[in-house]
Amino acid sequence: MTTGASVTGLGATTPLGGDVASTWAAMLEGRSGISLIEDDWAHDLPVRIAGRMRVDPAEVLGRVKARRLDRCQQAALVAAQQAWADAGAPEVEPERLAVVIGTGVGGMLTTLAQDDLMEADGPKKVSPYTVPMLMPNGPAATVSIEFGAKGGAHTPVSACASGAEAIAMGLDLIRLGRADVVIAGGAEACVHPLTLAGFAQARALSRRNDAPQEASRPFDAGRDGFVLGEGAAVVVLEREGFAAARVGQGGARVHATLAGAGTTSDAHHITAADSAGQVRAMRLALASAELSPLEVGHVNAHATSTPSGDLTETLSITKALGTHPAVTATKSMTGHMCGAAGAMGAIATILALRDGVVPATVNVDDLDPEVKLDVVIGGPRQGGWTAAMTNSFGFGGHNASLAFIR
């Protein structure tokens, strides 16, 4: 029998809340974290809406610590601290503790801000912390230093699949015997005029500037693109025997088990998704978890609210699992958190299994007739699912599916 990994800790900072509890409560209430960008720099942009973190991570960490970290790193550290505390701060040998934090672009805000500073005031004004703040492995390095993790600090950079790939890698590290505990997840903070303009030019973003909270509408017939979000989500994974011993001693609880994962690459197109790769990722996750399609009762879909992407995933889910799972798209509330999206989807899936309730997909006023799935709309749905899956797909043809059991 294939072994899984016990999920003992959850942490997040999102457009819906500064922690897991507030984010989950907002999801169940169907609230949106999307708002109009009031900054002066956004006035001339075609898209002026985004999902910014509800709680500024710098306020949590303190000014002295935060000033040496990019906003992406700040978010990762806040989420990791929460997850570690939720796991009961496991006592583990440093060499048996690993970190895997994925990101799509890393310290982009630092890169652009320091470049502006150099052009305006010269090279002597550039911060000596620039390189540590901009490097994509910065979030993983920051978290590994915080917790003294010497079992490896890894950084999957696979666009919007980064957070899910990080969790999949965490499972691999445990299965390979390289770690007893892994802090895994994703972080992103790139709400900036350059990213908004770039995505807008690619016609990937919703332009509902007059109705921010209604802009992200996965599976709705009137969807017109995704909404850029930011934040971080982190889980603590433990070898099952290691977690069981701590549970027996009253030092931990298991939220769910990460039973399997599947990652694939399309080798198809830099931005257009390929259903075959998505299907294969889901089937690999099923095989890794030793689950049949009929056992999967719930899917947290990647579903970003793009016209073509949602339909491609609809086809993929139907082929890999069928039409019976209860499907939701929590990006309708958080927006697309890019490198953190897969990890946030994983946490929402874990909580749906643990609590027996799936949040509704909001803003579905007119379900696309081509979406032949059981999309949860109108309010949360109660259920006793024993297995669930979450999907993450990224530019470049990166696909990652995670399978959890209760």
Side-chain angles (χ1 to χ4, degrees):
M1 180 178 179
T2 304
T3 58
S6 299
V7 182
T8 59
L10 306 174
T13 179
T14 77
L16 293 174
D19 56 23
V20 170
S22 57
T23 297
W24 183 235
M27 283 184 176
L28 293 179
E29 292 172 10
R31 286 192 267 127
S32 172
I34 311 304
S35 61
L36 186 68
I37 301 173
E38 303 285 359
D39 305 68
D40 292 341
W41 53 256
H43 289 170
D44 295 329
L45 293 174
V47 174
R48 300 185 303 280
I49 55 176
R52 285 172 152 172
M53 282 180 272
R54 180 71 62 178
V55 177
D56 189 337
E59 295 179 4
V60 179
L61 298 173
R63 196 175 77 173
V64 173
K65 193 165 191 172
R67 67 183 298 187
R68 299 184 180 184
L69 302 173
D70 181 82
R71 186 171 173 86
C72 177
Q73 297 168 352
Q74 294 171 10
L77 185 54
V78 167
Q81 288 175 340
Q82 293 175 14
W84 192 253
D86 185 45
E91 292 185 12
V92 56
E93 292 296 323
E95 292 78 13
R96 301 293 297 168
L97 173 62
V99 170
V100 193
I101 304 291
T103 184
V105 295
M108 178 181 173
L109 297 186
T110 292
T111 303
L112 295 172
Q114 291 299 311
D115 182 65
D116 288 345
L117 187 63
M118 184 173 71
E119 291 185 4
D121 300 324
K124 291 187 178 180
K125 292 295 184 180
V126 172
S127 169
Y129 300 108
T130 296
V131 173
M133 290 170 68
L134 66 82
M135 58 192 194
N137 64 308
T142 299
V143 172
S144 71
I145 292 168
E146 177 78 5
F147 298 103
K150 298 182 179 181
H154 307 279
T155 306
V157 179
S158 45
C160 309
S162 301
E165 279 205 11
I167 294 174
M169 185 179 291
L171 176 61
D172 286 344
L173 290 173
I174 289 173
R175 283 179 168 174
L176 290 170
R178 290 174 51 190
D180 292 319
V181 181
V182 181
I183 303 169
E188 202 78 271
C190 59
V191 177
H192 183 277
L194 180 61
T195 47
L196 288 166
F199 278 129
Q201 286 292 92
R203 300 189 179 277
L205 296 180
S206 171
R207 301 197 177 209
R208 295 174 184 262
N209 296 315
D210 56 339
Q213 297 192 345
E214 299 171 14
S216 184
R217 43 200 316 114
F219 301 127
D220 184 76
R223 65 192 183 281
D224 67 330
F226 71 85
V227 178
L228 186 63
E230 64 172 7
V234 173
V235 300
V236 173
L237 304 175
E238 301 188 29
R239 179 170 53 81
E240 288 182 311
F242 191 89
R246 294 206 311 118
V247 170
Q249 297 166 0
R253 64 171 174 170
V254 176
H255 296 287
T257 297
L258 174 58
T263 59
T264 66
S265 53
D266 292 342
H268 168 67
H269 190 277
I270 198 66
T271 57
D274 177 39
S275 178
Q278 297 178 0
V279 171
R280 195 158 57 91
M282 284 184 267
R283 287 176 175 167
L284 285 172
L286 288 174
S288 175
E290 297 182 343
L291 290 170
S292 72
L294 288 176
E295 290 179 281
V296 178
H298 164 52
V299 175
N300 187 292
H302 179 65
T304 63
S305 185
T306 61
S308 63
D310 289 6
L311 289 184
T312 300
E313 186 177 11
T314 294
L315 176 63
S316 301
I317 292 173
T318 302
K319 285 185 175 180
L321 303 174
T323 59
H324 68 277
V327 176
T328 194
T330 48
K331 291 183 184 68
S332 61
M333 294 171 277
T334 64
H336 193 353
M337 295 164 60
C338 298
M344 188 61 244
I347 288 179
T349 306
I350 291 163
L351 293 173
L353 279 177
R354 189 195 70 182
D355 297 348
V357 58
V358 171
T361 305
V362 303
N363 298 324
V364 183
D365 298 326
D366 180 17
L367 183 66
D368 190 325
E370 293 188 60
V371 176
K372 308 296 186 181
L373 298 172
D374 181 14
V375 180
V376 179
I377 56 177
R381 183 181 300 179
Q382 305 285 334
W385 305 280
T386 57
M389 184 176 288
T390 182
N391 290 330
S392 298
F393 311 128
F395 278 4
H398 303 275
N399 308 305
S401 297
L402 305 174
F404 295 91
I405 60 174
R406 190 174 61 194

